[in-house]
Amino acid sequence: MAGSGEKDDAQAGANALWGGRFEGGPAAVMAEINASIPFDKRLWRQDIRGSLAHVQMLGARGIIDQTAAGRIAEGLRQIEGDYDANGVPVDIALEDIHMTVETALAGRLGPDAGRLHTARSRNDQVATDVRLWVRDAIDGHLAAIRALAGVLARRAEEHHATVMPGFTHLQVAQPVTLGHHLMAYVEMLKRDFGRFRDARARLNQCPLGSAALAGTGFPVDRAATAQALGFDGPTDNSLDSVSDRDFAIEYLTSATQCALHLSRLAEEVILWASQPFGWVKLPDQWSTGSSIMPQKRNPDAAELVRGHSGRILGLMTGLMVTMKGLPLAYSKDMQDDKEPVFEAHDLLELSLAAMAGMMETLGFVPGRMRASAASGYSTATDLADWLVREASVPFREAHHITGRAVKAAEDAGTGLDALPLETLQAIDPRIDARVHSVLSVEASVSSRTSHGGTAPANVLAAARKALAEIPQW
Ligand code: ARG
């Protein structure tokens, strides 16, 4: 913050790591706008990992001597232990995590610490750190997506035959099963999983050794550092290596798509929990009360998941706009890649966990769902299909006849299945008593056995298949 005690430190003198040609330190506000340590301290594990791989390579290649390399590696491990125990110290005069670690190393080793930065730059260093961080973030999301998909598939198995209305235009359209509805979200999550996995595969190239922008004259072994850090290999163009943030954008687009799916599910939970629906009861652990209305049980977690999706989308847009006009290679604008990635990660991780917990314990109310499913003449298509199947009526004509049956039911104030046979036969004499067997909501869903259809047998099979496959995603 401007005006904080760090101001004096920042002004005290030229930067110890790059200040050779400077006579004075930066203005307090300059130090503040320049510093990323308040947020990029989250990269400390990745930064130390990257430095360890780098220094081992420098030693192995004889670029620095083995003794110095060994001391540096030992010092880095001590710093790792220290940060693990005590956290990362934030001093904005040290700008960022890279200089914070290097300064800590210098404090332990003296001038030998300065050999670590041979044949690298903060530009390839930060590109490597952020890739490593995003890769870890993706691994966390992959596990969380699996967990949520597992919860949904289990609830779908449990409710493979529970009837609810299916909607189009939010108007009751045809009966479906609750299990089928839940499995639709499993499909979405499977695609989300695939997107993150694809993004992970594409990002898994190591920029370390690209140095500032042009590569380095030292005989570095980029394949070795790439391998030590679990990358598939080194990146192939040094300019691209230090200026590429596609991987961060791709992470954010994948996160956004996943968050949009969670938001749709959250919206349904919110709707279903409202009194006019009354299809679900929120468990105590996943609802909140009102400070004024004692009867309230609010779906705050679902609302926040819905809200967070908008923020994640905004973060994605923000980084895209940051990147869109940048000439090659590195510009400091790119320091702004971290906060959107970190924030989106935290929001998505919380959202996935909240949805898993909520969906696991949500109390469905099958009686209310079935009553809604039977409203709105939801089996009208079944009557039309029956006319096509049993009386060879062309579908268009069957549609028309059914429309008249719906009108008759409306006039009589009953459902289609309660219309007397005489009424139906007066509309079309080809209708006979067998028609009643297709007009119930249960008969309707059971008949939908086409691949991907809502029939309970299909849903049970789909849920069990998913439960078997999700661990292998
Ligand atoms: N903190 C910087 C960032 O996050 C590290 C790279 C600094 N590079 C430079 N040329 N000043 O982007």
Side-chain angles (χ1 to χ4, degrees):
M1 288 288 125
S4 72
E6 280 139 351
K7 182 183 195 168
D8 298 330
D9 293 344
Q11 282 179 326
N15 187 289
L17 296 183
W18 50 248
R21 57 160 295 189
F22 290 81
E23 280 167 9
V29 174
M30 176 60 205
E32 190 183 339
I33 195 174
N34 201 32
S36 52
I37 185 65
F39 50 89
D40 72 12
K41 62 182 180 184
R42 283 185 74 168
L43 297 173
W44 71 269
R45 282 185 196 281
Q46 290 75 17
D47 194 72
I48 291 174
R49 266 186 84 189
S51 288
L52 279 169
H54 183 67
V55 79
Q56 273 149 6
M57 181 279 291
L58 292 178
R61 277 291 171 121
I63 298 170
I64 66 174
D65 78 61
Q66 286 280 15
T67 320
R71 288 188 69 214
I72 290 170
E74 177 50 29
L76 287 168
R77 287 201 190 90
Q78 286 169 4
I79 293 167
E80 190 173 23
D82 177 28
Y83 288 179
D84 217 358
N86 308 311
V88 180
V90 172
D91 174 357
I92 66 161
L94 298 178
E95 287 188 28
D96 55 28
I97 186 62
H98 325 297
M99 289 177 28
T100 299
V101 172
E102 202 182 319
T103 304
L105 193 64
R108 286 165 196 266
L109 307 187
D112 256 358
R115 299 185 193 282
L116 170 61
H117 212 53
T118 314
R120 79 172 183 190
S121 143
R122 279 187 290 161
N123 296 350
D124 58 339
Q125 194 180 353
V126 73
T128 305
D129 291 4
V130 181
R131 279 190 197 232
L132 287 171
W133 198 93
V134 170
R135 195 175 71 186
D136 291 343
I138 289 177
D139 289 341
H141 293 330
L142 291 175
I145 291 172
R146 258 201 205 111
L148 175 57
V151 167
L152 293 175
R154 274 197 299 281
R155 300 303 315 258
E157 182 183 35
E158 177 190 344
H159 288 286
H160 67 279
T162 301
V163 177
M164 67 177 273
F167 297 103
T168 61
H169 314 270
L170 202 59
Q171 303 287 314
V172 172
Q174 292 174 346
V176 295
T177 55
L178 172 57
H180 198 50
H181 196 108
L182 296 173
M183 285 304 294
Y185 284 96
V186 174
E187 293 293 327
M188 295 177 224
L189 290 170
K190 185 176 178 182
R191 294 193 294 274
D192 293 334
F193 191 95
R195 261 182 290 274
F196 274 124
R197 197 187 41 207
D198 293 350
R200 188 193 196 284
R202 242 185 313 281
L203 76 68
N204 208 30
Q205 308 282 325
C206 187
L208 196 60
S210 300
L213 75 164
T216 173
F218 290 102
V220 292
D221 184 349
R222 292 197 55 208
T225 42
Q227 196 189 8
L229 294 170
F231 288 107
D232 296 331
T235 51
D236 286 332
N237 179 296
S238 63
L239 289 169
D240 179 52
S241 303
V242 297
S243 63
D244 165 33
R245 292 297 182 273
D246 293 8
F247 66 89
I249 289 178
E250 215 177 332
Y251 168 73
L252 290 170
T253 57
S254 306
T256 300
Q257 182 62 76
C258 181
L260 296 187
H261 291 149
L262 300 187
S263 180
R264 294 182 75 176
L265 180 56
E267 166 64 13
E268 304 216 86
V269 170
I270 293 161
L271 213 55
W272 297 356
S274 82
Q275 287 71 13
F277 275 82
W279 293 0
V280 296
K281 283 217 162 58
L282 288 169
D284 283 358
Q285 307 121 279
W286 294 100
S287 40
T288 54
S290 156
S291 54
I292 178 167
M293 296 167 283
Q295 85 284 11
K296 289 300 283 291
R297 175 182 280 276
N298 294 329
D300 292 33
E303 291 169 82
L304 287 163
V305 167
R306 189 176 57 183
H308 287 357
S309 69
R311 288 174 60 190
I312 294 172
L313 188 155
L315 294 161
M316 172 195 76
T317 313
L319 184 57
M320 287 179 169
V321 177
T322 295
M323 293 305 295
K324 74 175 268 296
L326 297 187
L328 299 186
Y330 178 86
S331 296
K332 198 66 172 254
D333 313 44
M334 290 163 64
Q335 180 161 284
D336 282 346
D337 61 352
K338 292 160 205 65
E339 283 169 296
V341 164
F342 294 157
E343 192 179 347
H345 166 269
D346 295 349
L347 292 171
L348 185 62
E349 190 178 64
L350 253 180
S351 298
L352 284 163
M355 287 313 277
M358 197 169 60
M359 295 311 294
E360 176 113 63
T361 48
L362 197 61
F364 292 105
V365 188
R368 301 261 318 184
M369 288 188 169
R370 193 202 176 280
S372 306
S375 71
Y377 314 104
S378 64
T379 57
T381 319
D382 297 280
L383 173 54
D385 288 351
W386 185 89
L387 283 160
V388 170
R389 227 176 21 246
E390 304 296 334
S392 243
V393 179
F395 182 76
R396 277 290 153 232
E397 192 187 338
H399 185 285
H400 193 75
I401 295 164
T402 305
R404 287 167 56 208
V406 168
K407 173 88 175 48
E410 233 167 30
D411 292 345
T414 70
L416 272 180
D417 56 344
L419 272 184
L421 186 59
E422 307 80 71
T423 312
L424 288 167
Q425 283 177 333
I427 293 167
D428 195 290
R430 287 170 290 187
I431 300 177
D432 64 46
R434 291 172 303 157
V435 77
H436 281 295
S437 70
V438 302
L439 294 182
S440 72
V441 291
E442 285 75 16
S444 174
V445 294
S446 296
S447 73
R448 299 276 190 283
T449 53
S450 57
H451 180 85
T454 196
N458 286 24
V459 175
L460 188 59
R464 291 192 171 154
K465 182 165 179 278
L467 286 169
E469 286 175 1
I470 288 166
Q472 268 80 251
W473 277 3

